[in-house]
Amino acid sequence: MTRLLKLIVAFSLIALPVQAAGPADPDWPCIQRRQPALSVAQIWPGPPAGKEAQALAETPEIRTFGAELAARRMPLAEAEAKIADFAARHSADEMQALFLATFERIQSSRARVMEGITRYAHKQARLDQAINEQRRSFDQLMAADEKDFDRIDKVEAEIDWSTRIFLDRQQSLTYVCETPVILEQRAFALARLMAAALKGL
């Protein structure tokens, strides 16, 4: 890993303001503050892209390459080498266009993840409500003068099962909530690599 890439990776872990916690949002279960969308200005450290770069960002070659760079399965060290190779064979407008195409792909992926997290949170809220209703039923059964122990056992088993599912999903949600952060950090790191390559043109 080059010195530049090490600095970019380290800086991307602390530089983005979108990581700070914010006011509670009933539709957002994550610790990280919800920010619906990133902006180019927030991520891109280079000069603003002109109309030529914006048009080039829609070409098949650049859109395809942008999608490859956006994919998290590509290590940043490999992305750095590919970006350097691209910069050696393309213009400054094409370099800016590559960032726009990459950013758009990451933005789209991040939006889908956040929509999924919101749906997940709603399911958890419904399950939590169901568990509370089961507990109320259990309390009523236990308070009855003539107890239906078969029914009590059944409701108690339902509570145990529902609670286990809830806790398992809650643990998974902790990891899912990290995905938008990872995507933001990748966008930031790739933008720095592309801006550095652009300075060399």
Side-chain angles (χ1 to χ4, degrees), residues 66-79:
E68 292 176 3
L69 293 174
R72 287 181 289 160
R73 61 179 174 272
M74 179 182 290
L76 283 176
E78 181 180 348

Side-chain angles (χ1 to χ4, degrees), residues 63-134:
R63 284 180 64 86
T64 299
F65 187 34
E68 292 176 3
L69 293 174
R72 287 181 289 160
R73 61 179 174 272
M74 179 182 290
L76 283 176
E78 181 180 348
E80 181 183 25
K82 288 181 176 291
I83 289 169
D85 180 66
F86 181 90
R89 297 180 292 105
H90 294 80
S91 67
D93 281 333
E94 288 170 318
M95 194 72 245
Q96 289 179 307
L98 178 61
F99 166 72
L100 293 176
T102 305
F103 175 81
E104 191 279 331
R105 188 59 174 252
I106 292 176
Q107 179 89 293
S108 178
S109 297
R110 182 179 176 276
R112 288 195 299 272
V113 168
M114 294 183 73
E115 289 172 2
I117 290 173
T118 298
R119 290 194 300 270
Y120 202 102
H122 289 168
K123 289 181 180 179
Q124 282 293 83
R126 290 194 294 270
L127 182 56
D128 183 54
Q129 183 179 0
I131 292 171
N132 288 332
E133 291 174 355
Q134 290 169 343

Side-chain angles (χ1 to χ4, degrees), residues 171-190:
Q171 186 175 15
S172 297
L173 184 61
T174 301
Y175 296 106
V176 173
C177 283
E178 295 176 0
T179 303
V181 177
I182 293 170
L183 290 170
E184 291 157 15
Q185 291 172 349
R186 186 170 184 86
F188 183 89
L190 290 171

Side-chain angles (χ1 to χ4, degrees), residues 6-17:
K6 288 179 180 178
L7 290 172
I8 288 171
V9 171
F11 191 57
S12 70
L13 297 177
I14 59 173
L16 285 177

